[in-house]
Amino acid sequence: MEENTTTKDSLAKKHGFTESDFEQIKAIGIPLDKIEGELLLYKLGIPKITLERPATINDGIVKLSNEDFQSYSDYFDAKKDRLKLKKFVPASGAASRMFKFLSEFLNDFDHENETINAYINRKRDKNLPTFLAGIEKFPFYDEVKAKLKSLHENYYKMETHEKSYHFIKTMLASEHFDFANKPKGVLDFHKYKTEIVTPVEEHLNECAYYASSNSVSHLHFTVSDHHENLFETIIEKVKQKIEDKTKTKVHISYSHQDKRTDTIAVTPNNEPFRSENGQLVFRPGGHGALINNLNDLEADILFIKNIDNVIQNHIQEITLYKKALAGLLLDLQQQIFKILRAVENNTILENDIPDIIVFMKQKLNIDVLEDFYKYTIENKIAFIKDKLNRPIRVCGMVKNEGEPGGGPFWVRSYQGNVSLQIVESSQVETNNIEQAQILAKATHFNPVDLVCATKNYQGDKFDLIKFIDHSTGFIVQKNNKGKDLKGYELPGLWNGAMAKWITVFVEVPLVTFNPVKTVNDLLKPAHQPQYGN
């Protein structure tokens, strides 16, 4: 209580917090020392990470043969019925970015005085021509067109550019489809012969292929509390059909991003940012906040995949790679657990240690400093236990084809240790020529294709919060109703939030990575019907 009073006094004195502010903070449930720490971060800044080199094939990224993939997949199949499997899908984000270029078109297009072609030339817009050329191929085309015809009696007399304008307007209008404000997971993504399906339904379907044991699967979505009913409506409609088709019982659960993980916003001068009514402004802490949600889940193996990375075709091929990553994880986990049990039973001898260190360095990418060899045997064993008694993740990596986003790198900590990390460009000091060059040499990209084990060798859950590198959050520049502000985002879920996990990267083919970042991605072959669907 004394510490809380001291923090309260400090916030009032240094930053002008009022009783009304403290009541607002208490209602959200954010600890005062967390807010004070964030305000200090804004003032001091967050040091960028230090890239050592990109992770490449045979230097941080494992390349498996087709036979290896099949072998690990078979190994997983042989073991899975003794395990509880769960798929974890972050799905809370709205689809605003997916339709950004269309929203910009509606805001900036002079409907009375210019044609769409004139707008495209004026803005040098490359996305709108692609959208219009493929408009009939979108899974939602027929439904939007039907609505358009009901709204406009003269629909068939309209010029093509006029139809296109009203089509886009109807798609995004809040009183009609409101696509940009809905979560991606509930939008129409794929058109089959007899039905149109959403990512939610595709994820349910995928579960039966690789995330089920004993004909039971567990699927967990993180959603916004005000969107949960949209997910429930879809699942209620399709769940029985999918269970009957796949002969798999799918248990669905949801969680929300904890408001207590929201972070305080500040002005460009690092003073608390206030809304028009004088209240403090708090922002969601980014996907790194979901480590709390992951920490609450009970499972032996967790598959993590983004909501928009679903596929209409090649499901069997995707399944092979997913199961292989899980099989490799189980194989490594078995070896790790064997060592940890030997540590517990005091059966490790001095001459066992070199082989253990080789395994740690070559198979688990664990950095062992030269000083290790000067340790006493007790300290060597303590080091081994500390490094091995951690959550494990095996992450698929695809070849870099210029997609924006994170990639695999060797990173040097301020203590001198080198570890494998998934790094976002925003974490790197790109003004530093050497660091920018290392960033540019990335050969692979992070598709968010993770298989995780979060229990220790005794079968108890790890507290995942203990394995976060809290120094890897980042400050972002944002805008609130025309006013500039700075926000703090927590260490990303697969970045700093998992920084202290045992990490293994495996190259997987591009067929496993089919995100829908913009609506035009739905025109790519992975999301279009093929003969036989």
Side-chain angles (χ1 to χ4, degrees):
M1 186 70 187
E2 186 182 330
E3 183 186 350
N4 200 44
T5 304
T6 305
T7 307
K8 189 174 178 180
D9 290 343
S10 173
L11 289 169
K13 188 175 180 181
K14 290 182 183 175
H15 302 286
F17 279 36
T18 65
E19 279 304 318
S20 177
D21 293 334
F22 291 121
E23 286 173 18
Q24 179 190 354
I25 293 163
K26 186 177 179 182
I28 302 171
I30 301 175
L32 293 180
D33 57 354
K34 176 177 175 291
I35 293 171
E36 188 174 45
E38 287 164 7
L39 291 169
L40 188 61
L41 277 176
Y42 286 121
K43 184 180 176 182
L44 299 177
I46 299 173
K48 299 289 187 179
I49 64 169
T50 303
L51 300 179
E52 183 77 6
R53 62 189 186 277
T56 55
I57 298 296
N58 298 325
D59 183 23
I61 300 177
V62 178
K63 187 174 180 68
L64 298 175
S65 66
N66 291 336
E67 292 76 15
D68 290 333
F69 276 116
Q70 188 61 59
S71 176
Y72 281 123
S73 176
D74 293 343
Y75 183 74
F76 172 70
D77 280 336
K79 298 282 186 183
K80 68 179 183 180
D81 283 347
R82 284 171 278 176
L83 304 170
K84 181 177 179 181
L85 310 178
K86 186 167 283 193
K87 188 174 174 187
F88 180 83
V89 182
S92 56
S96 49
R97 270 189 255 177
M98 187 173 158
F99 298 98
K100 185 171 181 276
F101 73 89
L102 295 178
S103 298
E104 289 173 349
F105 164 70
L106 290 180
N107 288 332
D108 203 28
F109 177 56
D110 185 352
H111 179 231
E112 300 298 323
N113 298 305
E114 73 177 334
T115 64
I116 289 180
N117 277 340
Y119 168 86
I120 289 168
N121 291 330
R122 175 167 65 85
K123 301 291 286 188
R124 296 180 180 174
D125 191 321
K126 295 179 181 177
N127 294 308
L128 189 55
T130 303
F131 176 84
L132 295 174
I135 198 166
E136 294 183 9
K137 293 181 179 179
F138 287 108
F140 47 76
Y141 173 75
D142 290 338
E143 191 179 6
V144 176
K145 182 182 174 183
K147 170 61 79 173
L148 208 52
K149 284 158 68 175
S150 74
L151 292 171
H152 300 275
E153 291 180 2
N154 65 336
Y155 174 79
Y156 288 106
K157 295 178 182 177
M158 285 183 183
E159 298 286 341
T160 302
H161 71 91
E162 194 70 8
K163 287 178 182 174
S164 298
Y165 169 72
H166 285 291
F167 185 95
I168 295 167
K169 193 175 178 182
T170 304
M171 272 174 61
L172 301 186
S174 58
E175 67 271 25
H176 299 308
F177 293 95
D178 202 22
F179 283 162
N181 290 313
K182 288 180 177 173
K184 279 186 188 179
V186 305
L187 300 178
D188 291 339
F189 261 38
H190 296 153
K191 185 174 184 177
Y192 292 90
K193 274 187 175 178
T194 59
E195 61 184 344
I196 293 170
V197 306
T198 63
V200 168
E201 188 171 347
E202 295 288 25
H203 276 288
L204 257 77
N205 191 50
E206 276 189 19
C207 275
Y209 283 89
Y210 61 78
S212 64
S213 56
N214 299 303
S215 301
V216 175
S217 184
H218 300 266
L219 175 58
H220 184 88
F221 293 106
T222 63
V223 298
S224 299
D225 49 3
H226 56 286
H227 285 150
E228 188 173 326
N229 65 313
L230 297 175
F231 285 78
E232 287 175 336
T233 300
I234 291 171
I235 286 166
E236 195 174 312
K237 191 169 72 173
V238 304
K239 184 169 175 280
Q240 190 63 54
K241 176 188 71 177
I242 290 173
E243 289 181 337
D244 292 344
K245 184 179 79 172
T246 61
K247 297 181 172 55
T248 303
K249 179 73 177 171
V250 186
H251 295 285
I252 312 287
S253 58
Y254 304 95
S255 63
H256 309 137
Q257 193 161 312
D258 190 341
K259 292 292 288 180
R260 290 172 298 180
T261 63
D262 286 3
T263 61
I264 191 166
V266 298
T267 66
N269 294 323
N270 300 322
E271 287 303 321
F273 185 93
R274 294 183 181 275
S275 63
E276 291 170 340
N277 62 7
Q279 285 198 312
L280 297 169
V281 171
F282 292 92
R283 302 179 65 258
H287 58 69
L290 298 180
I291 196 70
N292 293 279
N293 305 59
L294 195 66
N295 203 27
D296 290 337
L297 298 184
E298 174 68 39
D300 296 300
I301 297 289
L302 285 154
F303 294 88
I304 301 180
K305 195 178 182 190
N306 273 341
I307 187 68
D308 63 338
N309 186 15
V310 286
I311 195 167
Q312 179 150 0
N313 315 298
H314 310 296
I315 185 66
Q316 298 290 355
E317 199 174 345
I318 301 293
T319 298
L320 170 69
Y321 296 113
K322 283 285 189 190
K323 293 200 296 187
L325 294 182
L328 174 58
L329 182 146
L330 288 173
D331 180 47
L332 293 171
Q333 185 189 56
Q334 185 181 35
Q335 296 175 69
I336 291 166
F337 284 3
K338 183 179 177 183
I339 295 167
L340 290 170
R341 290 189 185 107
V343 169
E344 186 177 50
N345 296 326
N346 295 314
T347 56
I348 289 184
L349 303 175
E350 181 81 58
N351 58 6
D352 296 325
I353 289 175
D355 287 342
I356 293 172
I357 294 301
V358 167
F359 168 70
M360 289 168 64
K361 290 167 78 170
Q362 293 186 357
K363 299 296 185 183
L364 306 178
N365 309 296
I366 292 171
D367 188 37
V368 180
L369 298 176
E370 284 300 316
D371 281 356
F372 171 82
Y373 300 100
K374 301 174 186 174
Y375 294 177
T376 64
I377 185 169
E378 291 79 13
N379 285 339
K380 285 178 180 175
I381 290 171
F383 174 87
I384 289 167
K385 182 176 182 181
D386 174 61
K387 293 295 183 183
L388 294 186
N389 196 27
R390 299 176 181 227
I392 311 167
R393 59 174 176 164
V394 174
C395 314
M397 290 290 157
V398 295
K399 285 181 180 173
N400 191 350
E401 293 208 329
E403 291 278 355
F409 290 87
W410 291 97
V411 172
R412 185 171 293 280
S413 74
Y414 66 90
Q415 296 163 316
N417 297 312
V418 176
S419 63
L420 272 186
Q421 302 293 341
I422 297 170
V423 177
E424 307 298 320
S425 57
S426 57
Q427 295 177 269
V428 180
E429 184 55 80
T430 50
N431 293 328
N432 179 310
I433 294 173
E434 183 186 354
Q435 289 291 290
Q437 287 174 340
I438 296 172
L439 186 67
K441 288 178 182 174
T443 59
H444 288 72
F445 173 81
N446 167 41
V448 187
D449 188 3
L450 291 80
V451 187
C452 304
T454 56
K455 289 183 179 178
N456 66 19
Y457 68 101
Q458 296 168 317
D460 299 321
K461 280 170 56 180
F462 285 107
D463 178 3
L464 303 183
I465 309 306
K466 293 179 178 176
F467 299 91
I468 300 172
D469 181 350
H470 293 281
S471 70
T472 56
F474 35 95
I475 293 169
V476 292
Q477 311 294 324
K478 295 289 181 180
N479 191 283
N480 182 291
K481 296 182 179 176
K483 292 183 178 178
D484 290 334
L485 62 78
K486 294 198 289 189
Y488 170 64
E489 296 209 350
L490 301 168
L493 180 59
W494 36 83
N495 312 113
M498 296 182 177
K500 298 177 184 178
W501 291 35
I502 293 171
T503 296
V504 175
F505 294 150
V506 178
E507 184 181 78
V508 292
L510 274 165
V511 71
T512 62
F513 182 52
N514 303 284
V516 178
K517 299 304 178 191
T518 84
V519 65
N520 287 350
D521 288 331
L522 290 175
L523 299 174
K524 292 179 178 178
H527 299 289
Q528 286 291 310
Q530 290 187 347
Y531 181 77
N533 280 336

